[in-house]
């Protein structure tokens, strides 16, 4: 059976978990806390559609990092783990953000994953949540798509959605969640690649690739003292064969 791997990332509290719950048909707890575990990875149960297994990997990026609790050991361990997962390749990136102002935190996440880690070699779907006050749901996307481009944030497709749940308008929200899940699934089926794209081992120097990510991350958190030389744990992991 063909398997497709999808990496989900995005703005803080944008609704990644709520979206994945609806896409997969589960009820995973929504957790907005920060625990200092930069690039913390969570695997969701796979979904089979048209004889294709879709595996979702949710990752907490820069915005979830609690700098007061982040340690050198935590950072190296989780970036090493990210590199190992990246070597298996991904068929699609899904960037999740909320309707409203485009904050610097959203751009930071985009730059780290789309530009620095995957080098824009993998298709990117932008899922904009909290569009329930727009008719149709895609209206906010239509009105603001150029703003993303002006901020050098480009996507293969953008969709407006609503995954909000509960309250006095739950019956209406339930219909919007169903519509949104169908929209996202259609986009996934449309733009995900047939084969996973490996941006780590496909380049000439995996160690240099790992070093670039580590140095960019160190600069972002303001700890340039963590920069070169790259930690051995990350350098070694980048050259290991992933099975």
């Amino acid at each position: 059976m063909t398997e497709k791997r999808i990496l989900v990332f995005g703005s803080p509290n944008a609704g990644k978990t709520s979206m994945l719950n609806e896409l997969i048909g589960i009820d995973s707890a929504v957790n907005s806390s920060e625990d200092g575990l930069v690039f913390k990875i969570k695997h969701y149960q796979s979904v089979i559609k048209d004889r294709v297994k879709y595996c979702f990997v949710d990752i907490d990026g820069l915005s979830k990092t609690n700098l007061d609790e982040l340690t050198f050991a935590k950072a190296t361990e989780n970036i090493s783990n990210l590199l190992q997962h990246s070597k298996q390749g991904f068929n699609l990136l899904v960037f999740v953000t909320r309707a409203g102002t485009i904050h610097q935190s959203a751009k930071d996440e985009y730059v780290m994953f789309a530009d620095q880690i995957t080098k824009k070699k993998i298709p990117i779907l932008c899922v904009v949540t909290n569009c329930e006050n727009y008719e149709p749901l895609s209206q906010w996307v239509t009105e603001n798509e150029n703003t993303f481009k002006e901020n050098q944030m480009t996507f293969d497709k953008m969709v407006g959605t609503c995954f909000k749940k509960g309250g006095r308008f739950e019956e209406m929200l339930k219909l919007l969640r169903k519509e949104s899940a169908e929209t996202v699934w259609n986009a996934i089926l449309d733009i995900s690649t047939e084969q996973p794209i490996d941006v780590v081992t496909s380049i000439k120097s995996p160690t240099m690739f790992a070093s670039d990510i580590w140095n960019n991350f160190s600069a972002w958190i303001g700890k340039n003292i963590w920069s070169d030389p790259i930690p051995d744990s990350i350098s070694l992991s980048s050259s290991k064969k992933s099975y």
Side-chain angles (χ1 to χ4, degrees), residues 62-63 65 67 108 112 215-224:
L62 302 173
S63 304
T65 306
L67 298 183
D108 287 344
M112 176 60 75
N215 290 336
N216 280 312
F217 171 70
S218 298
W220 183 84
I221 63 175
K223 291 185 179 291
N224 291 317

Side-chain angles (χ1 to χ4, degrees), residues 15-200:
K16 289 188 303 173
T17 302
S18 297
M19 179 195 74
L20 288 166
N21 282 346
E22 202 67 30
L23 293 180
I24 301 171
I26 57 176
D27 191 20
S28 180
V30 177
N31 182 11
S32 61
S33 64
E34 298 176 339
D35 55 15
L37 293 179
V38 60
F39 301 139
K40 179 180 177 182
I41 293 173
K42 179 178 181 179
H43 292 270
Y44 283 78
Q45 67 187 54
S46 58
V47 177
I48 298 176
K49 280 185 174 290
D50 298 328
R51 298 182 181 179
V52 177
K53 180 189 290 187
Y54 291 87
C55 304
F56 291 90
V57 179
D58 178 16
I59 185 165
D60 285 344
L62 302 173
S63 304
K64 281 284 189 175
T65 306
N66 186 332
L67 298 183
D68 292 332
E69 297 182 10
L70 182 66
T71 65
F72 182 87
K74 281 183 179 180
T76 55
E77 178 183 354
N78 284 282
I79 291 180
S80 174
N81 192 27
L82 170 63
L83 289 172
Q84 290 295 323
H85 281 80
S86 297
K87 286 192 294 182
Q88 298 174 43
F90 292 101
N91 302 76
L92 180 68
L93 304 184
V94 177
F95 175 76
V96 185
T97 190
R98 295 168 61 98
T101 303
I102 302 174
H103 296 285
Q104 183 62 42
S105 58
K107 187 171 182 179
D108 287 344
E109 299 288 354
Y110 178 91
V111 169
M112 176 60 75
F113 288 97
D115 294 338
Q116 296 175 354
I117 295 179
T118 63
K119 311 297 183 185
K120 288 189 175 176
K121 292 183 178 181
I122 302 175
I124 310 174
L125 166 65
C126 177
V127 176
V128 181
T129 61
N130 285 55
C131 292
E132 59 273 8
N133 293 322
Y134 297 88
E135 178 59 41
L137 290 172
S138 60
Q139 180 185 338
W140 189 91
V141 170
T142 301
E143 294 175 352
N144 294 274
E145 189 171 5
N146 285 335
T147 304
F148 283 91
K149 293 178 180 178
E150 290 168 2
N151 281 275
Q152 290 77 53
M153 299 170 70
T154 58
F155 305 97
D156 293 85
K157 179 168 284 190
M158 296 183 68
V159 296
T161 66
C162 167
F163 293 105
K164 188 174 291 186
K165 194 173 187 178
R168 60 187 296 188
F169 300 112
E170 169 57 20
E171 288 303 312
M172 178 191 72
L173 293 175
K174 184 177 180 180
L175 295 175
L176 292 178
R177 290 197 304 273
K178 181 179 178 180
E179 175 187 340
S180 297
E182 291 176 353
T183 298
V184 174
W185 267 117
N186 286 337
I188 290 173
L189 297 174
D190 182 35
I191 67 172
S192 59
T193 61
E194 289 301 315
Q195 299 295 327
I197 298 175
D198 169 13
V199 296
V200 179

